[in-house]
Amino acid sequence: SGCGSTDETAYRIGIVQQDEHSSLDAATQGFEDKLMELLGEENVTFDYQNAQGEQANSTTIATKFVSDGCDLIMANATTALQAAAAATGDIPIVGTSVTDYKTAGVVDSNEKPGTNVTGVSDLGEIKAQVDVLLTFCEPDTKIAVVYCSAEPNSTYQADLAKKYLDEQKIPYAIYTAADSNEIQAVVTKAVADCNAMYIPTDNTFANNMEIVKNIAVPARVPTVTGAEAMCEVGALATLSISYYDLGAKAAEMAYDILVNGKKPAEMPIEYLTDGLVPKYNADIAEALGVTIPEGMEPVA
């Protein structure tokens, strides 16, 4: 139901999710579960809308949330957040599954947002993710850094990876797809030129990891991704935060805004950095014939 057609005694939350894949789904679920726990199930109603990867849909959804008079908007992923921020400067917005809020253009700084927007970042330890990939590489292996150029947060992560590879004097090349239609050609080129592949947290590639697997595995190219859900489908390994926990942390911030009167403008962007364990896909490890180092855990 729309935000304006719910029990007026309950908090009314609009949720705009950028796309439909397991990482974003987990973040939404974590948000809803935690907020119901904190507020009481009878005291909150959710209007969940999925933009199916279309920016125009995110804009339409966010605009409707504003006209419906939602008490708070949860924006799941970058373009959803940008659409919500463009739709209102008054209704509090809490983001999740967003890498860098400053790069997204919705806050003055990550330390002090200065706007009606705050949230939780899904920025992983990029250096540590690259190090996981390097455990499967011979010295001087050329690394392909692959991502969707239409996603600002993917570009941000790729730049961090490039900087680290430069510091370590490790050869690499950049391969970008403008949209999902280019993924097959881009990955085919990447595995032809390089012997290992790194893909950061990227919604376009997350929706197409089956394609990545079907190209990289026969080419015997190990792939490390920035999100566990991507690894579950089509990569060898990952070092990832829990997107369910990411959504739960966003819910705690929403609770502080709704109940404790905190202002998003004064709430720093939060990060999840504890308890990260490298994980691997056992089926892909077997297909590639690689030995898994001690300390890595299998993905679901």
Side-chain angles (χ1 to χ4, degrees):
S1 62
C3 289
S5 59
T6 60
D7 182 352
E8 292 301 323
T9 65
Y11 290 106
R12 301 164 299 174
I13 312 298
I15 299 175
V16 52
Q17 182 172 311
Q18 177 176 314
D19 213 336
E20 189 169 3
H21 62 74
S22 53
S23 292
L24 300 187
D25 293 344
T28 292
Q29 191 65 56
F31 179 83
E32 291 184 347
D33 289 351
K34 188 65 176 182
L35 203 53
M36 284 191 290
E37 174 191 324
L38 293 170
L39 292 172
E41 188 172 347
E42 70 281 4
N43 295 321
V44 60
T45 60
F46 300 104
D47 184 0
Y48 166 81
Q49 301 291 330
N50 195 302
Q52 301 297 330
E54 296 292 336
Q55 177 70 45
N57 291 345
S58 290
T59 299
T60 300
I61 292 164
T63 301
K64 186 175 187 302
F65 287 163
V66 175
S67 64
D68 285 345
C70 288
D71 295 306
L72 181 140
I73 296 172
M74 192 280 265
N76 192 350
T78 305
T79 58
L81 180 67
Q82 291 170 324
T88 178
D90 300 316
I91 296 173
I93 299 169
V94 175
T96 190
S97 312
V98 175
T99 302
D100 187 72
Y101 287 68
K102 180 68 166 65
T103 299
V106 296
V107 299
D108 296 337
S109 75
N110 292 323
E111 295 74 26
K112 189 171 183 178
T115 66
N116 62 319
V117 177
T118 189
V120 190
S121 169
D122 66 355
L123 179 63
E125 293 288 337
I126 303 299
K127 292 180 181 180
Q129 290 173 355
V130 173
D131 283 341
V132 170
L133 180 59
L134 294 177
T135 63
F136 300 102
C137 297
E138 298 293 333
D140 297 324
T141 294
K142 187 177 181 181
I143 309 294
V145 179
V146 185
Y147 62 97
C148 177
S149 58
E151 298 190 33
N153 284 331
S154 300
T155 302
Y156 180 82
Q157 293 171 84
D159 287 344
L160 293 176
K162 287 155 53 180
K163 181 179 178 182
Y164 182 56
L165 291 167
D166 282 332
E167 290 170 354
Q168 300 301 310
K169 296 182 170 51
I170 296 170
Y172 67 89
I174 305 299
Y175 302 86
T176 62
D179 54 39
S180 59
N181 295 323
E182 296 184 0
I183 287 179
Q184 183 163 344
V186 167
V187 174
T188 299
K189 181 73 164 66
V191 302
D193 295 345
C194 302
N195 301 113
M197 183 160 52
Y198 171 68
I199 307 175
T201 304
D202 183 291
N203 292 298
T204 303
F205 274 85
N207 274 331
N208 292 276
M209 285 305 297
E210 194 74 31
I211 295 174
V212 174
K213 178 184 73 174
N214 291 339
I215 298 169
V217 172
R220 302 188 71 80
V221 171
T223 302
V224 165
T225 56
E228 183 171 338
M230 298 167 72
C231 179
E232 290 172 1
V233 176
L236 172 61
T238 186
L239 181 69
S240 171
I241 60 175
S242 162
Y243 275 75
Y244 183 90
D245 291 347
L246 201 73
K249 174 62 74 173
E252 292 173 355
M253 300 180 80
Y255 178 84
D256 276 340
I257 293 167
L258 294 169
V259 177
N260 297 329
K262 288 195 174 182
K263 299 184 182 304
E266 300 168 359
M267 300 171 68
I269 303 306
E270 298 205 21
Y271 300 83
L272 296 182
T273 57
D274 297 333
L276 298 185
V277 177
K279 297 185 178 183
Y280 68 96
N281 183 314
D283 291 337
I284 291 181
E286 182 179 359
L288 293 176
V290 300
T291 301
I292 300 299
E294 290 186 12
M296 294 188 73
E297 298 178 358
V299 297

